[in-house]
Amino acid sequence: MRVNQLIINCGYREKRAAFIHNGKVRQIEIERAETQSLAGSIFLGIVTKVLPGMNAAFVDIGTDKNAYLHRDSVAEYVQSGLPKEEKERKSISAYVRQGERLLVQVEKDPTGTKGAKVTGIIEVNGTHLVYMPKGNYLAVSKKIASPERREELRELGRTARLEGEGLIFRTTAGTAADVEIVEEIERLRREAAELLQKAGSLKKAGLVFQNDPFVEKVLPIIEQMESGEVIADDSGLLNELKARFSGKSMHLVFSYYSGKEDILAAHGASVELERLLKRVVWLENGAYLLIEEMETLTAIDVNTGKFSGKNNLEDTVLKTNLLAAEEVARQIRLRDLAGMILIDFIDMKTEEARSKVAAKLEAELRKDGRRTRVAGFTSLGILQLTRKRLGPSLSGTLTVKCPACEGTGRVSSPETEAFKLERELWEQRGSVEEAVLVEASPRVKVVFEGEGKIHLKRLEEALGLSIIMRQVDSVADFYLVKQFGKAEDLRKKADNTY
C-alpha cells in the first residue's frame, strides 16, 4: 500500500472522497447535487438598486433573490488610484450605477430571505495561484517556510502581472518551478478573458461559470500529496485530474477502479465513515473520546477508559492527553467540526503538561489548512478553539434529527439511505438476475426514485435490472433489499399486503 491514497467515488448522485495516509483515513469529503453551493460561481449581474447609505447595491444575477454587493468589493473601487482616505470618503454611487452590467462572483450562499453575497473581484483558481483580473493585489502564502522563496515569488509576481491584476501564490508555489508558475498565470489570464467574452454575449443576467464543488474539494488534497495514488471509479474525472497535474513536480499514479464492490468499501473507508457518526472514539491505548455536537458548540471529553499506565498517574495522564490531542485534531478534520470547540482533557497538575498538550494539538491542526485558533485553557482546565465554518459538519450532512425521539438523537437521513441503496444495487451490474424487490420507507422511496421516477428508470437502464419498490410505512428511514428473481413473481409479492 502506498503512503498516500486518495479514493474517489463519483459514479452516483452523492460524490465522496477519502484521503488515506499510512493506512489511516485523514480526510473525507462529500458532495450532493441537491445541496450544491453557489460559492465561487460567476454571474453576469445587473445593478437594480444603489443604496449610498449602506454603501451597497443589489444586483440581479438571475436567481430568485437579488445579490448583495458592498462598495469595497466593487472592481472600480479596488482599481481606483486615489489615496485610501479620499477613496473611502466616496459612496458606492461613485463606482456603480443602476442598470450597469457587472461580472460578479458569489462569496456566500443565499440564506433565508437574504440573497447571495457577491464580489466584483473575480478569482480564477489555479494549482499554484489565484488569478484576479481586477484584484490589484499581490500576496504569497505564509505557509511557504522559506523567506527567500516567498521573496522570489513576490518578485516573480511583480514581473509577471499586468497593471491592475491580482495574484495570490498558494503553498504549492513554494516548490514549483518559476516557468511552471508563469505558464499558469498565462493560462488563467486566457480563462478570465474567455469568461468576459462569454458574459458579453449574454442578453440578460445569468450564470457564466460554475465550479464543480466536488473537484474544488479534491484538488487541494492532491496538491498536498506530492506523491501517492489517486484511485477513482469515474474515468472522465480521473483523466481531468491527470491532465491537471501532468508536468507538475509530483510523483502521482492515477488508477481507474472497475470493481463491482463500492470503491470506498473496497479500500476500507466505508467502515471509517460509519464510525464518524458515533459519539465514542477509542484510542489505541484503551482511553476514549466522547464527542457531543450541539447547536452552539462541540464538546469533546477525554477519558482514561481502560488505560491505567505503567508509571505514575501524572505520566499516564500526560501520555493519554497527548494521544488524545492527535486524535482530536483528526476527528475535527474528518467530521468537519467548526465554530466553537471545547476540549475537556484529563486534569493536568502542571502548566508544563498543559503547554505540551496544547502545542501537540496546534501542530496537528496546522496540517488541516482550515483557519483555526487555539485560545488556550480556561480556569477550569477546558481547552478552547475555534475553526472556520464552511458548511455543515459531516453529521449535519449525513443525518437528520430523529422524529422518533423528538430530536434528542440522530439517524440516517432519507438521502443517505437512498444513496446507500443506489450504491448497493450498482454492485449488481452485469448480474444474471432479472429483477430485485426492495422495501423502503416512504421518504427513502421518494428520494431513490426521483421526480417522475427519473432516477429509478436511469438506474434500471444502466444495470439491466428491474427494480420493484414496495413502500413500508415507518417512522425511521430505511431500505431492505428483499429478494432477487423474475420480475413477474416479485411484482406479485410487492402487491401482497403481507
Side-chain angles (χ1 to χ4, degrees), residues 472-498:
V472 178
D473 291 333
S474 171
V475 174
D477 293 307
F478 84 103
Y479 76 85
L480 176 66
V481 177
K482 191 76 176 176
Q483 187 179 347
F484 290 88
K486 292 185 177 181
E488 185 178 350
D489 295 339
L490 295 182
R491 285 195 179 93
K492 289 179 181 177
K493 283 195 173 185
D495 291 337
N496 291 337
T497 54
Y498 58 93

Side-chain angles (χ1 to χ4, degrees), residues 190-231:
R190 289 194 298 271
E191 288 182 15
E194 289 170 6
L195 289 173
L196 287 169
Q197 186 178 4
K198 182 179 177 181
S201 66
L202 296 179
K203 294 181 179 178
K204 59 181 182 179
L207 182 67
V208 176
F209 169 80
Q210 186 170 25
N211 284 322
D212 182 334
F214 182 68
V215 174
E216 292 302 311
K217 288 178 178 179
V218 164
L219 287 176
I221 301 175
I222 302 176
E223 288 165 7
Q224 294 171 22
M225 284 173 65
E226 294 185 1
S227 66
E229 185 176 18
V230 178
I231 311 170

Side-chain angles (χ1 to χ4, degrees), residues 29-296:
E29 296 291 349
I30 295 178
E31 186 68 37
R32 291 174 172 175
E34 290 84 350
T35 57
Q36 185 167 318
S37 170
L38 287 178
S41 299
I42 299 172
F43 289 83
L44 172 66
I46 300 174
V47 179
T48 58
K49 199 170 187 178
V50 179
L51 302 170
M54 295 174 60
N55 256 338
F58 286 106
V59 184
D60 174 15
I61 59 173
T63 56
D64 293 341
K65 303 181 187 75
N66 287 339
Y68 174 87
L69 173 67
H70 191 268
R71 179 202 62 185
D72 295 358
S73 297
V74 174
E76 283 68 20
Y77 175 83
V78 174
Q79 295 272 305
S80 174
L82 295 172
K84 184 179 179 182
E85 295 76 11
E86 186 178 345
K87 187 167 68 170
E88 289 180 345
R89 280 197 296 268
K90 293 189 175 187
S91 77
I92 190 170
S93 302
Y95 303 101
V96 296
R97 64 184 185 278
Q98 189 170 331
E100 185 176 353
R101 291 159 61 95
L102 299 172
L103 200 63
V104 295
Q105 190 167 30
V106 176
E107 286 186 315
K108 189 175 180 182
D109 281 316
T111 54
T113 59
K114 295 181 179 179
K117 183 181 179 183
V118 296
T119 176
I121 312 303
I122 306 302
E123 294 184 353
V124 184
N125 291 312
T127 304
H128 303 307
L129 61 103
V130 177
Y131 171 76
M132 298 172 286
K134 295 185 178 181
N136 199 27
Y137 181 70
L138 179 62
V140 179
S141 170
K142 292 179 180 178
K143 291 185 179 180
I144 297 174
S146 168
E148 293 80 11
R149 181 54 179 161
R150 290 201 300 271
E151 186 53 42
E152 287 173 1
L153 289 170
R154 287 191 192 94
E155 184 57 37
L156 178 64
R158 285 190 283 267
T159 304
R161 77 185 184 110
L162 302 178
E163 185 178 355
E165 289 182 336
L167 300 175
I168 301 175
F169 291 102
R170 298 179 183 274
T171 308
T172 55
T175 54
D178 286 359
V179 64
E180 188 180 329
I181 293 172
V182 172
E183 287 174 358
E184 184 166 86
I185 292 172
E186 293 172 352
R187 176 177 63 81
L188 296 177
R189 190 178 283 144
R190 289 194 298 271
E191 288 182 15
E194 289 170 6
L195 289 173
L196 287 169
Q197 186 178 4
K198 182 179 177 181
S201 66
L202 296 179
K203 294 181 179 178
K204 59 181 182 179
L207 182 67
V208 176
F209 169 80
Q210 186 170 25
N211 284 322
D212 182 334
F214 182 68
V215 174
E216 292 302 311
K217 288 178 178 179
V218 164
L219 287 176
I221 301 175
I222 302 176
E223 288 165 7
Q224 294 171 22
M225 284 173 65
E226 294 185 1
S227 66
E229 185 176 18
V230 178
I231 311 170
D233 58 5
D234 183 280
S235 58
L237 175 63
L238 193 69
N239 290 334
E240 179 186 341
L241 295 174
K242 191 174 182 180
R244 193 86 174 247
F245 288 93
S246 64
K248 311 290 183 192
S249 53
M250 306 170 80
H251 303 284
L252 295 172
V253 175
F254 292 85
S255 307
Y256 174 66
Y257 175 80
S258 58
K260 285 189 176 183
E261 186 182 7
D262 172 70
I263 185 171
L264 261 65
H267 290 83
S270 288
V271 175
E272 183 70 58
L273 196 56
E274 291 175 7
R275 287 179 185 153
L276 293 174
L277 298 178
K278 295 181 179 179
R279 295 164 63 229
V280 176
V281 178
W282 289 96
L283 304 181
E284 294 173 0
N285 67 352
Y288 67 91
L289 309 177
L290 186 63
I291 302 175
E292 296 280 3
E293 287 188 64
M294 292 168 269
E295 295 269 342
T296 54

